Every structure is written in structure tokens, then in C-alpha cells.
């Protein structure tokens, strides 16, 4: 019976990674039923897979209930038992974070780390807890603490090759590099993550991985590369939103929003706004606070670009209200410098709001951008926008109906005014200055 149960368990893991969630859950429940009470370790592995399947289905209540039951029943007097307890705790931390309870997630994670230290067992999977704690510290804009937890996660992840640790750790590592303007290191991190997700061989995981890469390129100012993913990935703003793939659509909206900001495409902006509203509603229905905040910030930016400042301010207030209990700061600072123009009036109206002040301070911690002494002309702004969309000089010539030398002159002038020496630097500087 145990061999048959283990076979079902393996089949379920493959089905889950292929996105066939109903099949996976049926196989997992069948495997669980076939195992005897003394086969607790295999039962626990099956239970963890059920937890993951529920999480990927957006079924947070089912995941939470099962995690609580597992922690109550797990036998901690052995290395195997302690390993299972720690892995269960890591998922519990992820769940609490997703629900916006970062303080609770942090407490749970630290208790598990202390328990491992007191047990005397060597439990490499504790690196997964450190990776989650690193992500929490990052969201709360405690970058030094995030780095310290990240170092602990990588200590275990890179020695054991446990992919669950490495996926989470590399994600936070790349975010830290972006926050510190460490461009080369961020791109090197992308290569490490690509090796991991392509190595799985599962189309769904690869699809999410490529979307996450596009998000990093967008953050680094590589709009053309992010747009290439958006145009080629086969996703549409009007697609249904399976919970497992919701992050892809957050990123798709972000990329198209950046492009629409350059072209002021009101039709595209309305479609982005509609998708952002659906994502917000989905986050609210599923009790997923972090995705809900991200979706609200997409709404804020789209509304502002459509000239609907009052509605944008209302959505921004909603996002701040959701973020304040968990001190979720970084989600704002990583969104768009344009948010500052909406945050400052709110802060002026609420001088005693410490959380709002902390959010604004997170923006201001970034390396300050020196305003241009010599502003760009309308034509230079147009050329900068076309560069950001990935057009070559020859394509810009055709678009503007001007000569090769004229385009070269415009590019030379805007490089000089922006104090940059490449297209990527020009786009990044333009974004930081709010020009594109």
C-alpha cells in the first residue's frame, strides 16, 4: 500500500507542477487515505503537497487549517520530524505574509529557527524559513535585516541545492540589488533564477519565471526587453485569472502601463484599469492582501494617467490602509516614482501619519535624481519615448519622418542633458525623472 501511495504522491506532484490542480488534489487525498498512521513522514509529505495545491488555487483557509493540524501532530524528537516541522512553518510564514500579517509571520519564523537551534539537529530546510524572513524584512524596508536573513538562507541553499530555498532567496537577492542600483548583480541573479526554473521542465513554472524576469527588466529600465516578453508570451489583458497565474497578469499590466505612460494610449490604459480592478477583486475574495495592494497600485497609476486624480487618490488610500498593519512599505517604493506626486498631498493632509511618512521616506532613500539644468525639448522627449519602446534609430527615423542625422543629433542632445551614455541609462534616468 505504501508503494502505491508513494506512486500516487509522485504523480500528484507532477500534476500540480503542470497546473492540473484538481487531478493533483484527488491523487494526494487518495495517497493520504492509503497510508497507515505509523507512516507519518510520508503522510506529512502528502499533506504538505495538499497545502501547496490549495495555496496555488488561492484557497488560503484550507491551507491554514491543514498547516495548523500538521504542526500539532508532527513528531519533533527526530531530525526527520524537525525537518517536517520547519518546512510546515515556512509555508505558514508564507501564508501569513500573503494575508498581510507580516508581524505574525516573522514571529512564527523566528520561533522555528530558535527551536532548531535548541534541538541540536542539523536541519538544512531552515534555510527556507530564513528566505521567507528575508522577504518579510525587504517588504518592511529593513534592507540590512533582509540581507542578514538572506545570507543565512543562502548558507543552506547553496550548500544543499534545495530549490525551495534558492527560488525564494534569489528572488529577494535580486530585489535588494535593484533597490541598491546594483544592475550587474541583478542581471547575474536573473541568470541564476533562469537556470532553476528552466531546470524544472514544467511549462507553468517556466511561464511564471519568464514573467518575473520581465518584471526585473522593467525595474531596471529595460522597457524594450519587458515589452518583448509581454508581446510574445501569449497573455492578454482580458484573459481569465487563474489564481496560480495571477502574478503573470500583475506583471503584464505593469509592463503595458509603462508603455502606455510613454504613448498616453487611453484605450490601452482603460483595459489595464479593467484588469487591475479584476485583480483587486480577486485578491479581496481570496484574502490575499499583498496581491490586492499591488493591484490597487496599478489602478492608482492608470487612473492618474487618465486624469482621474480623485479616484487615484482614493485607491491609494485603500492600498495604504491595507499595508499599514503589516508595515508593508517596499511594495510602494518598488512600484513607480510617479506615486510620490500622489503620496505627498496625502502626507500634507495627515502630518501625524507615521506609516505614510515611512513610505515616502522609502522613496527618498533611493539615490536622489538631480533635476535637469537644461530641460528636454518636445522632440527630444518624443525620441526618448521611442527609445524606451525599443525602436532602432532607423525605425525612429521612419516614425518621425526625419533624416538619420537628425535622429542622431536628438539622441546626442538628450544623452548630454541626461548625463548618460547609453539607451538603457537614458530610459532609466527618464523614468526616475518622471519624463516617461
Amino acid at each position: 500500500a505504501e508503494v502505491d501511495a508513494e506512486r500516487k504522491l509522485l504523480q500528484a506532484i507532477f500534476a500540480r507542477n503542470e497546473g492540473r490542480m484538481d487531478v493533483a488534489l484527488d491523487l494526494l487525498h487518495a495517497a493520504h487515505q492509503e497510508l497507515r498512521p505509523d507512516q507519518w513522514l510520508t503522510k506529512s509529505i502528502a499533506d504538505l503537497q495538499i497545502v501547496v495545491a490549495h495555496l496555488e488555487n488561492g484557497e488560503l483557509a484550507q491551507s491554514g487549517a491543514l498547516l495548523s493540524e500538521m504542526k500539532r501532530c508532527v513528531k519533533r524528537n527526530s531530525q526527520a520530524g524537525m525537518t517536517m516541522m520547519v518546512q510546515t512553518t515556512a509555508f505558514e510564514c508564507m501564508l501569513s505574509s500573503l494575508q498581510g500579517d507580516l508581524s505574525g509571520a516573522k514571529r512564527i519564523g523566528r520561533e522555528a529557527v530558535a527551536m532548531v537551534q535548541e534541538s541540536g539537529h542539523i536541519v538544512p530546510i531552515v534555510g527556507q524559513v530564513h528566505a521567507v524572513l528575508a522577504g518579510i524584512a525587504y517588504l518592511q524596508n529593513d534592507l540590512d535585516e533582509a540581507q542578514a536573513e538572506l545570507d543565512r538562507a543562502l548558507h543552506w541553499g547553496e550548500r544543499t541545492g534545495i530549490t525551495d530555498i534558492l527560488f525564494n532567496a534569489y528572488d529577494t537577492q535580486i530585489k535588494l540589488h535593484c533597490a541598491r542600483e546594483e544592475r550587474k548583480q541583478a542581471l547575474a541573479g536573473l541568470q541564476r533564477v533562469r537556470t532553476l526554473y528552466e531546470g524544472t521542465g514544467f511549462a507553468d513554472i517556466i511561464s511564471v519565471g519568464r514573467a518575473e524576469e520581465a518584471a526585473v527588466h522593467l525595474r531596471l529600465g529595460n522597457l524594450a526587453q519587458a515589452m518583448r516578453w509581454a508581446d510574445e508570451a501569449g497573455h492578454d489583458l482580458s484573459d481569465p485569472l487563474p489564481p496560480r497565474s495571477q502574478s503573470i497578469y500583475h506583471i503584464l499590466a505593469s509592463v503595458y502601463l509603462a508603455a502606455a505612460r510613454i504613448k498616453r494610449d487611453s484605450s490601452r490604459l482603460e483595459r489595464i484599469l479593467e484588469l487591475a480592478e479584476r485583480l483587486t477583486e480577486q485578491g479581496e475574495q481570496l484574502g490575499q492582501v499583498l496581491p490586492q495592494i499591488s493591484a490597487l497600485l496599478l489602478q492608482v497609476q492608470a487612473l492618474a494617467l487618465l486624469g482621474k486624480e480623485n479616484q487615484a487618490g482614493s485607491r491609494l488610500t485603500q492600498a495604504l490602509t491595507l499595508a499599514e498593519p503589516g508595515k508593508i512599505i517596499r511594495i510602494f517604493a518598488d512600484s513607480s516614482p510617479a506615486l510620490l506626486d500622489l503620496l505627498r498631498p496625502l502626507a500634507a493632509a495627515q502630518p501625524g501619519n507615521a506609516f505614510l511618512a515611512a513610505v515616502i521616506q522609502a522613496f527618498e532613500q533611493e539615490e536622489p535624481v538631480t533635476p535637469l539644468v537644461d530641460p528636454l525639448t518636445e522632440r527630444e522627449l518624443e525620441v526618448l519615448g521611442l527609445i524606451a519602446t525599443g525602436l532602432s534609430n532607423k525605425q525612429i527615423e521612419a516614425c518621425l519622418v526625419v533624416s538619420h542625422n537628425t535622429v542622431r543629433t536628438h539622441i546626442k542632445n538628450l544623452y548630454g542633458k541626461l548625463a548618460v551614455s547609453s539607451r538603457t541609462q537614458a530610459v532609466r534616468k527618464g523614468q526616475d525623472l518622471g519624463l516617461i
Side-chain angles (χ1 to χ4, degrees):
E2 184 172 11
V3 172
D4 189 49
E6 288 176 351
R7 180 177 55 79
K8 284 186 172 71
L9 181 55
L10 287 172
Q11 289 173 336
I13 292 171
F14 274 92
R16 183 180 63 75
N17 283 324
E18 290 170 351
R20 296 182 292 124
M21 308 306 289
D22 291 343
V23 173
L25 280 167
D26 287 345
L27 285 165
L28 288 166
H29 286 300
H32 190 279
Q33 290 295 320
E34 290 175 13
L35 291 164
R36 300 188 309 273
D38 62 307
Q39 296 167 327
W40 66 270
L41 184 57
T42 309
K43 278 176 102 63
S44 295
I45 293 169
D47 283 341
L48 265 184
Q49 287 297 318
I50 294 171
V51 165
V52 175
H54 281 311
L55 278 174
E56 292 181 346
N57 267 346
E59 298 159 350
L60 273 57
Q62 292 92 322
S63 295
L66 185 51
L67 284 169
S68 296
E69 178 65 15
M70 288 178 68
K71 283 189 77 172
R72 188 180 67 79
C73 297
V74 74
K75 301 173 181 178
R76 305 177 187 183
N77 58 350
S78 67
Q79 185 165 334
M82 186 61 69
T83 296
M84 189 53 62
M85 187 279 296
V86 170
Q87 199 161 19
T88 302
T89 300
F91 281 107
E92 196 174 20
C93 288
M94 290 180 210
L95 178 60
S96 293
S97 296
L98 191 59
Q99 294 171 318
D101 183 13
L102 270 60
S103 299
K106 192 188 299 184
R107 175 183 51 77
I108 293 165
R110 287 176 173 170
E111 285 174 359
V113 170
M115 200 177 300
V116 170
Q117 290 170 343
E118 291 167 9
S119 75
H121 294 297
I122 297 173
V123 185
I125 201 65
V126 75
Q128 193 173 4
V129 176
H130 287 300
V132 177
L133 289 172
I136 291 169
Y138 179 82
L139 282 170
Q140 295 184 325
N141 202 38
D142 188 345
L143 302 190
D144 290 339
E145 177 65 16
Q147 185 64 60
E149 290 290 357
L150 179 62
D151 291 341
R152 297 179 189 114
L154 290 173
H155 168 84
W156 291 109
E158 293 186 338
R159 281 163 177 75
T160 61
I162 297 173
T163 55
D164 284 348
I165 300 175
L166 293 175
F167 268 122
N168 287 329
Y170 287 158
D171 176 62
T172 300
Q173 187 178 53
I174 290 168
K175 288 175 180 173
L176 281 169
H177 287 316
C178 288
R180 293 168 177 162
E181 300 287 337
E182 295 167 349
R183 181 183 183 79
K184 287 183 180 177
Q185 294 92 324
L187 292 173
L190 282 186
Q191 183 58 55
R192 286 191 290 271
V193 172
R194 187 181 305 126
T195 300
L196 283 179
Y197 73 68
E198 287 186 349
T200 68
F202 293 110
D204 276 22
I205 294 174
I206 292 170
S207 182
V208 172
R210 287 177 179 159
E212 296 289 351
E213 276 199 49
V216 175
H217 282 299
L218 182 63
R219 181 91 191 278
L220 293 173
N222 297 340
L223 177 56
Q225 192 143 349
M227 279 296 296
R228 195 172 302 121
W229 164 78
D231 290 339
E232 296 174 359
H235 307 295
D236 188 84
L237 292 168
S238 59
D239 286 348
L241 300 175
R244 179 181 172 90
S245 304
Q246 67 176 197
S247 65
I248 292 175
Y249 290 94
H250 280 268
I251 294 164
L252 186 72
S254 298
V255 174
Y256 282 142
L257 187 64
R261 183 178 285 113
I262 294 167
K263 296 181 178 179
R264 288 296 193 274
D265 183 341
S266 58
S267 175
R268 174 67 65 83
L269 282 169
E270 291 286 0
R271 293 186 66 213
I272 293 167
L273 180 58
E274 184 183 343
L275 171 59
E277 287 170 346
R278 289 195 293 133
L279 286 166
T280 303
E281 185 179 340
Q282 182 184 61
E284 186 176 5
Q285 288 174 346
L286 298 177
Q288 297 178 336
V289 171
L290 290 182
Q292 194 179 344
I293 295 170
S294 293
L296 280 167
L297 293 180
L298 289 171
Q299 285 194 55
V300 169
Q301 295 172 71
L303 287 165
L305 289 170
L306 287 165
K308 301 177 181 179
E309 283 82 4
N310 288 341
Q311 291 181 49
S314 173
R315 300 296 191 281
L316 183 55
T317 299
Q318 280 182 257
L320 289 163
T321 301
L322 284 171
E324 185 172 3
K327 298 183 175 63
I328 305 167
I329 294 172
R330 198 74 218 177
I331 202 166
F332 295 88
D334 289 349
S335 183
S336 168
L339 282 180
L340 261 179
D341 293 336
L342 294 166
L343 285 165
R344 284 184 172 132
L346 288 178
Q350 305 172 50
N353 189 324
F355 178 69
L356 184 50
V359 171
I360 291 174
Q361 186 181 13
F363 278 95
E364 294 170 347
Q365 280 175 353
E366 306 292 322
E367 189 174 330
V369 180
T370 306
L372 297 182
V373 176
D374 187 6
L376 300 187
T377 65
E378 285 296 320
R379 185 59 106 182
E380 287 163 356
L381 283 168
E382 194 172 5
V383 171
L384 179 59
L386 292 171
I387 288 172
T389 61
L391 295 189
S392 66
N393 284 13
K394 187 175 287 293
Q395 289 169 320
I396 293 173
E397 292 167 31
C399 186
L400 299 180
V401 196
V402 295
S403 70
H404 175 71
N405 286 338
T406 300
V407 169
R408 288 190 63 185
T409 300
H410 286 317
I411 291 175
K412 180 180 178 183
N413 289 343
L414 71 88
Y415 276 16
K417 290 178 180 181
L418 294 172
V420 299
S421 58
S422 73
R423 284 170 161 251
T424 300
Q425 290 173 1
V427 173
R428 182 62 178 165
K429 185 74 171 283
Q431 288 176 330
D432 289 345
L433 289 166
L435 301 176
I436 54 176

